[in-house]
Amino acid sequence: MNAEQWNALHPVGTLVFAYPGCRPEDGAGTRLVTRTRTEAQLSASGDPVVWVNGEGAYIALTHVDPVSEDMWAEALAAEMEAGQASAFAATCPTNPPGHDWQNGLTCRWCRATRTPAEAIVSGLASRRGGDETSAQKLIDAYRAGILAEAKVETVDWLVKKAGEYYSTGSKQHALQADVIGTLASKLDRGAVRAFLGTAHYRDAIDALTAEARTAAFEEAAAFFDGLADAETDQHGYRARVMRGAANDVRRLNTGEAS
């Protein structure tokens, strides 16, 4: 198999048995239970070769065998049990300097965890065996964390504003506080679709884009306008309070409220 054929079938990070010296059928030698760390290429002598974890020099493709995940894990576990695992596997037992993340957040061996942000930084820095699908999952998880924080901060702000309105002792402010408190409750449990797009919060706001933020506040303002429209007396006290709340939300959206 030449280097081009190998690279088409086996991406960087492929699980392999590698033999730096001779193959088992040719005599006693060393077997590395490892994974590739480069693409295959031609050596100075014209032979197709590849580099693997745990070995500084390149190894000829004729001495590198791709294996299934189950076969690889079984061989590595046997070496660990026999105390024969290479320095490559001594830390975790996979991937120096520590863990085998499999493009995820949990080490498959020791169950250590990392944050989505750490995974993104590591993946972008190393680019070892990753793909767009796994990268997108990590980015989505990181985005979900940001949106979850945005949701909590927004709900906390609404609760704070409701408390400020209640503290004035004004009947009108008390009604406004009730409305704001209702919005906070609906937002917190997802009844108001102001927050969108995360696995943790089905309706979480995308605080990273002005368009999504504007849409959220417009929907909240429309919610208050709808309450006002439902009032029999459109010029009555309750209708005017609801219209005022809608205007407060619009001012919040434009940065006029504090």
Side-chain angles (χ1 to χ4, degrees):
M1 180 181 295
N2 61 36
E4 183 178 0
Q5 292 169 332
W6 172 278
N7 293 332
L9 295 173
H10 308 299
V12 175
T14 293
L15 305 178
V16 296
F17 292 163
Y19 306 94
C22 60
R23 292 186 60 88
E25 59 268 27
D26 298 327
T30 300
R31 181 186 73 172
L32 297 178
V33 181
T34 182
R35 66 176 73 213
T36 61
R37 58 187 174 92
T38 68
E39 291 186 336
Q41 55 189 275
L42 293 181
S43 67
S45 61
D47 297 318
V49 299
V50 71
W51 280 258
V52 301
N53 288 333
E55 177 65 23
Y58 61 68
I59 301 177
L61 292 186
T62 54
H63 285 54
V64 179
D65 298 334
V67 295
S68 68
E69 183 175 345
D70 289 343
M71 182 181 297
W72 186 85
E74 183 178 350
L76 184 58
E79 288 190 357
M80 293 286 293
E81 185 175 351
Q84 298 172 345
S86 67
F88 154 72
T91 303
C92 188
T94 53
N95 182 3
H99 303 291
D100 182 6
W101 299 113
Q102 293 189 308
N103 294 321
L105 303 180
T106 304
C107 174
R108 64 168 296 187
W109 294 100
C110 71
R111 312 313 293 174
T113 61
R114 61 181 177 174
T115 67
E118 290 170 339
I120 291 170
V121 171
S122 175
L124 293 177
S126 64
R127 301 180 64 185
R128 290 168 54 189
D131 56 57
E132 291 185 4
T133 299
S134 61
Q136 187 60 55
K137 289 180 180 178
L138 293 175
I139 291 171
D140 287 344
Y142 184 49
R143 180 173 178 270
I146 293 174
L147 297 178
E149 293 176 4
K151 176 179 179 178
V152 170
E153 291 175 1
T154 302
V155 171
D156 286 349
W157 185 90
L158 289 170
V159 171
K160 173 176 174 290
K161 296 306 290 185
E164 291 175 356
Y165 276 112
Y166 277 127
S167 67
T168 67
S170 164
K171 179 183 288 188
Q172 179 175 348
H173 284 172
L175 286 173
Q176 289 178 303
D178 286 341
V179 174
I180 294 172
T182 298
L183 177 61
S185 176
K186 287 179 177 291
L187 196 62
D188 190 39
R189 66 177 188 269
V192 175
R193 297 181 60 82
F195 285 79
L196 304 170
T198 82
H200 301 293
Y201 295 96
R202 183 182 56 191
D203 300 322
I205 189 170
D206 187 348
L208 304 180
T209 66
E211 181 180 352
R213 181 179 184 276
T214 298
F217 283 110
E218 285 179 350
E219 185 168 356
F223 169 76
F224 291 126
D225 282 335
L227 293 178
D229 291 341
E231 291 295 319
T232 303
D233 184 359
Q234 289 293 296
H235 300 288
Y237 181 69
R238 288 182 59 85
R240 287 187 285 108
V241 168
M242 301 307 171
R243 299 290 184 200
N247 290 332
D248 285 344
V249 170
R250 293 189 177 94
R251 282 194 294 271
L252 175 63
N253 183 38
T254 58
E256 296 178 21
S258 60

